[in-house]
Amino acid sequence: MTSSASVAVDRAAVVAPVRRRLFGGFVEHAGRGIYTGLYEPGHPTANEDGFRTDVIELVKELGVTTVRYPGGNFVSGYRWEDGIGPREHRPRRRDLAWHVTETNEVGIDEFARWARLADSEIMLAVNLGTRGIQEGLDLLEYVNGPVGTTLADLRAANGSPDPYGITMWCLGNEMDGDWQLGHLSAEDYGKLAARAAKAMHGAEPGLELVACGSSWTGMPTFGEWERVVLEHTYDQVALISCHAYYYEKDGDLGSFLASSLDMEHFIRTTVATADHVKHKLRKTRSIGISFDEWNVWYQGRPPTESEAADAARIEAGAWPVAPRQLEDRYSVADAVVVGSLLITLLRNADRVECANLAQLVNVIAPIMTEPGGPAWRQTTFFPFSVTAHLATGVVLAPRIQVDGYESAHGTAPLVDAAVTFDEAAGSAAIFLVNRDLAESRTVTIDVTSLGLTTVTEALTLHDDDVYAKNTLDDQTRVGLTKNDSATSADGVVTVTLPPVSWTALALS
Ligand code: AHR
């Protein structure tokens, strides 16, 4: 059965420019994210640094603009200087975040070279868990200082005379969580972050600093944490972070597909709190949001077959190198959720200034690799890649008319959408999701105000089996298909969305 929905697009309803940093990724020293993920010397595609060029090509196809590094929970115990200089002298350390051995074969210099090849900006996190202001300042001097001081000269001696020019810095990671090494109260973190930020600005004006916000909306401190932290840091930071991971719980697919309602609530509450502090402190500048970790993540699931042996070794007290951890395999439904979360991020681009899909390779990632073997795209790769490439110009706020349904996150519209319009290029893109578990939906989209008449591309992600996945043995089981139902006439685009699907339309 097919039901209907309508979307009205108004070129004057501009939300914000499409911010390229919304399409960020995240690389943490965790699991096989780096080792046998990005980096595998001896792999047939490895370059002179040991980086897999097959992975770099996929990262470019994904369209990632910014990559957060090196953590995550890992950063809260990390000594950045372990990862510089001749590899044979680098220490091996226990990483308490993931109970593994960190070999430090990859550090900031290698990662900067990798990021350049992947056309990505680096967003760097400093350790405010077990370390503090001095180590942050040292790292800043090492990566950004012009030659002529000891640490900048050391970088040059290690092969990079030119400063890396990293402007976005995270002041720690998830410091509100008791799982975090060096976890602090909001009061203590706010004071430390303010002092670290002030010192970093003193060393280098113009940095865009991110204070830790809440690790998810279920944190008992959510809201109050942001208020206290921002009261201490308001003058020093440009952004506050949000992190969110979603998964299907208890077979409730409808609620899972409505996960973006929680993301929307997260953004609005954080904005409201930041604006409260703004008015309380009589400030004129607003704080933006860095949604620097978001994805689908089946937290707490039993290990997959390939993870089981490594999980057992860790359980028995081993500290393995690059074990298989968090290697979630994503389904069509997971990809539809990723697509709908991107729709929400786009529609909130007035306050969400950057966002990072967590993570990039092997660890809850859109790209998977096999040591010595291939690299392939998970289902979640597709909505991200298409959105990152098609969304240009400005974000417009669409008016959507469609029935809703009850979910654990409240009443969810069966169809959700985001629209971008690039006047200079004479093009637009419409991203749509149909959350209906059973019915297709024919959506009429009034684009008269855009003056665009042709649907140049219509791509849909759907499968009769919503749990279909791409695996090592069947790497292309799920992909995008051309949606032949899309037509355009008299300023109205019509398209039929299959149940549980994500669709992108390009217009010119
Ligand atoms: O991305 C996996 C982990 O999730 C990160 O290390 C941490 O910041 C978050 O809890």
Side-chain angles (χ1 to χ4, degrees), residues 26 28 30 68 71-74 98 173-174 179-180 215 243 245 293 297 299 326 358-359 363-364:
F26 173 34
E28 174 166 9
R68 185 166 177 255
N73 296 336
F74 170 79
W98 301 107
N173 177 69
E174 294 189 351
W179 59 88
Q180 200 68 213
S215 299
H243 289 182
Y245 293 99
E293 287 187 33
W297 176 11
Q299 296 188 52
L326 281 62
Q359 300 190 3
V363 176
I364 46 172

Side-chain angles (χ1 to χ4, degrees), residues 48-350:
E48 61 286 359
D49 258 330
F51 287 121
R52 287 182 61 154
T53 54
D54 58 341
V55 173
I56 291 174
E57 286 315 308
L58 282 178
V59 170
K60 289 208 264 191
E61 183 185 325
L62 185 64
V64 155
T65 52
T66 313
V67 182
R68 185 166 177 255
Y69 175 83
N73 296 336
F74 170 79
V75 79
S76 294
Y78 183 46
R79 305 175 217 203
W80 67 268
E81 60 276 29
D82 286 351
I84 60 169
R87 281 208 173 104
E88 61 277 16
H89 296 145
R90 295 187 192 177
R92 290 164 70 91
R93 302 259 190 215
R94 298 210 303 194
D95 161 23
L96 302 186
W98 301 107
H99 209 281
V100 299
T101 297
E102 171 57 52
T103 63
N104 285 303
E105 283 162 82
V106 171
I108 183 61
D109 294 316
E110 290 82 19
F111 189 72
R113 287 198 286 275
W114 177 87
R116 205 171 305 129
L117 292 177
D119 294 335
S120 290
E121 177 189 8
I122 298 175
M123 177 188 207
L124 203 55
V126 294
N127 175 357
L128 290 188
T130 58
R131 305 187 110 189
I133 302 168
Q134 187 60 58
E135 291 86 354
L137 288 175
D138 288 349
L139 177 59
L140 179 61
E141 181 184 332
Y142 185 83
V143 299
N144 280 0
V147 287
T149 65
T150 300
L151 288 171
D153 288 350
L154 186 55
R155 182 197 65 238
N158 288 334
S160 302
D162 292 334
Y164 298 139
I166 297 170
T167 58
M168 294 193 80
W169 292 73
C170 302
L171 300 167
N173 177 69
E174 294 189 351
M175 296 300 289
D176 61 331
D178 61 5
W179 59 88
Q180 200 68 213
L181 269 177
H183 153 65
L184 293 169
S185 67
E187 190 69 28
D188 289 345
Y189 171 70
K191 286 181 185 162
L192 174 61
R195 288 166 61 223
K198 199 166 177 195
M200 289 172 76
H201 283 307
E204 186 179 330
L207 299 176
E208 296 164 89
L209 303 183
V210 185
C212 290
S214 291
S215 299
W216 63 298
T217 52
M219 291 299 289
T221 47
F222 174 45
E224 183 62 0
W225 171 276
E226 284 78 358
R227 180 189 69 76
V228 174
V229 167
L230 286 175
E231 285 193 7
H232 285 290
T233 58
Y234 205 97
D235 285 336
Q236 310 297 339
V237 302
L239 303 142
I240 185 148
S241 70
C242 295
H243 289 182
Y245 293 99
Y246 302 99
Y247 62 99
E248 183 182 337
K249 297 187 184 90
D250 308 321
D252 184 357
L253 180 56
S255 290
F256 175 48
L257 292 168
S259 298
S260 67
L261 271 69
D262 178 76
M263 180 184 254
E264 184 94 37
H265 156 66
F266 201 166
I267 293 168
R268 289 194 181 172
T269 308
T270 304
V271 164
T273 308
D275 288 350
H276 163 73
V277 177
K278 173 183 172 185
H279 296 300
K280 185 171 174 190
L281 301 182
R282 304 287 183 266
K283 302 293 179 189
T284 49
R285 181 178 59 91
S286 297
I287 297 285
I289 289 181
S290 169
F291 218 118
D292 49 45
E293 287 187 33
W294 68 271
N295 203 351
V296 171
W297 176 11
Y298 286 82
Q299 296 188 52
R301 64 165 168 76
T304 62
E305 226 170 87
S306 60
E307 289 168 334
D310 283 332
R313 286 163 67 208
I314 293 174
E315 189 69 24
W319 295 75
V321 174
R324 291 180 188 259
Q325 289 176 314
L326 281 62
E327 300 203 0
D328 286 26
R329 295 164 187 169
Y330 291 119
S331 68
V332 170
D334 298 329
V336 172
V337 170
V338 163
S340 80
L341 294 170
L342 279 163
I343 286 173
T344 297
L345 290 168
L346 272 173
R347 274 205 318 253
N348 286 283
D350 54 335

